[in-house]
Amino acid sequence: GEPAIFQIAHAFRAEETGFQHNPEFTMCEWYRVGDDYQAGQELLVELAQVMFDVDGCNRLTYRNAFRQWAGVDPFNDSTSRIRGLCDEWLGKKVDGVARDVCLDLLFSEKVQPQLGQGIPTLLTDFPAEQSALAKVTARDYGWVAERYELFWKGLELANGYHELLDPEELTARQHQVNAKRVEAGKDPLPERSRLLDAMTTGLPPCSGVALGVERALQAFLDLESISEVMPFPIDQA
């Protein structure tokens, strides 16, 4: 029933440890009722300008970022061409690898390092297959997720959604995710959640963002490793 909420809390993701990730970290997360796709972006841009003491923010669609730095259209080019570029540019043998995985490889190696250089960059309009908990909408070149990410000096700091409100769509997406997890040898995620219950009851339109606090500090202080801003990184825990 609140018009806007936020929390700062511990988060855990069992991904490999590196210069940009620690399995336990701090997340700042906020939601504001009534915010649509554009309003959610504007709030994040305002925060970025204050955080880094800059005027303005570069805005770029996922598609245009790929066309500019990877020379590929992630929506319309064939999967075989995208796999071929992974092999040619990255030396990755990706025969039979899913299209989204190949795009992630190209993104991390060719696109992401270029984002947020000199001025924060807000990346928008991700492929619908990468929508997670965001709404999707049609563009003239395909379906996109109403999702946006903030980058500074090649580092992803925040991920925002124009929030999905349809419980049936959420259930369908969960089924798809769990099918992929089982196929990859991972445990399925729980089908029921408080989020699904809230959507079923009637979740109001809103936009929400999650920002990694340590990554923001790492970016602000221009440090090489996230461990430099953590009292107990995983190797010292």
Side-chain angles (χ1 to χ4, degrees), residues 68-180:
Q68 181 172 345
W69 289 301
V72 63
D73 185 332
F75 288 85
N76 296 314
D77 281 1
S78 67
T79 300
S80 60
R81 179 168 189 265
I82 291 170
R83 286 173 177 161
L85 292 176
C86 286
D87 188 7
E88 178 183 351
W89 291 346
L90 311 180
K92 308 276 188 183
K93 296 296 182 182
V94 292
D95 291 343
V97 174
R99 180 188 182 92
D100 274 352
V101 175
C102 294
L103 288 175
D104 282 344
L105 287 170
L106 288 173
F107 181 80
S108 63
E109 296 292 335
K110 291 291 185 179
V111 179
Q112 184 169 337
Q114 310 299 326
L115 301 176
Q117 299 298 340
I119 189 171
T121 295
L122 197 69
L123 196 67
T124 65
D125 288 9
F126 285 71
E129 293 78 14
Q130 300 179 28
S131 58
L133 299 176
K135 288 185 174 184
V136 297
T137 192
R139 299 283 187 254
D140 58 5
Y141 53 84
W143 286 86
V144 303
E146 294 194 341
R147 174 181 163 197
Y148 45 97
E149 290 189 352
L150 177 68
F151 291 85
W152 175 254
K153 296 183 179 179
L155 191 64
E156 179 204 337
L157 304 184
N159 185 21
Y161 304 146
H162 186 201
E163 299 292 334
L164 179 70
L165 305 177
D166 185 346
E168 293 184 1
E169 176 64 19
L170 175 60
T171 299
R173 292 186 190 182
Q174 288 177 328
H175 288 329
Q176 294 172 356
V177 168
N178 278 338
K180 291 180 180 179

Side-chain angles (χ1 to χ4, degrees), residues 164-172 174 191-204:
L164 179 70
L165 305 177
D166 185 346
E168 293 184 1
E169 176 64 19
L170 175 60
T171 299
Q174 288 177 328
E191 294 287 340
R192 297 297 305 181
S193 66
R194 294 174 66 184
L195 176 61
L196 180 59
D197 292 340
M199 286 187 189
T200 303
T201 301
L203 189 68

Side-chain angles (χ1 to χ4, degrees), residues 24-98:
E24 178 184 1
F25 57 100
T26 311
M27 187 81 82
C28 177
E29 196 164 3
W30 64 88
Y31 297 80
R32 194 162 63 176
V33 172
D35 276 7
D36 59 13
Y37 191 34
Q38 294 302 319
Q41 292 179 44
E42 291 301 329
L43 183 59
L44 183 55
V45 166
E46 289 176 23
L47 177 62
Q49 290 173 330
V50 172
M51 285 171 56
F52 299 110
D53 192 22
V54 295
D55 293 324
C57 180
N58 186 28
R59 302 190 194 215
L60 194 63
T61 66
Y62 182 97
R63 184 183 188 224
N64 285 340
F66 263 83
R67 294 168 78 181
Q68 181 172 345
W69 289 301
V72 63
D73 185 332
F75 288 85
N76 296 314
D77 281 1
S78 67
T79 300
S80 60
R81 179 168 189 265
I82 291 170
R83 286 173 177 161
L85 292 176
C86 286
D87 188 7
E88 178 183 351
W89 291 346
L90 311 180
K92 308 276 188 183
K93 296 296 182 182
V94 292
D95 291 343
V97 174

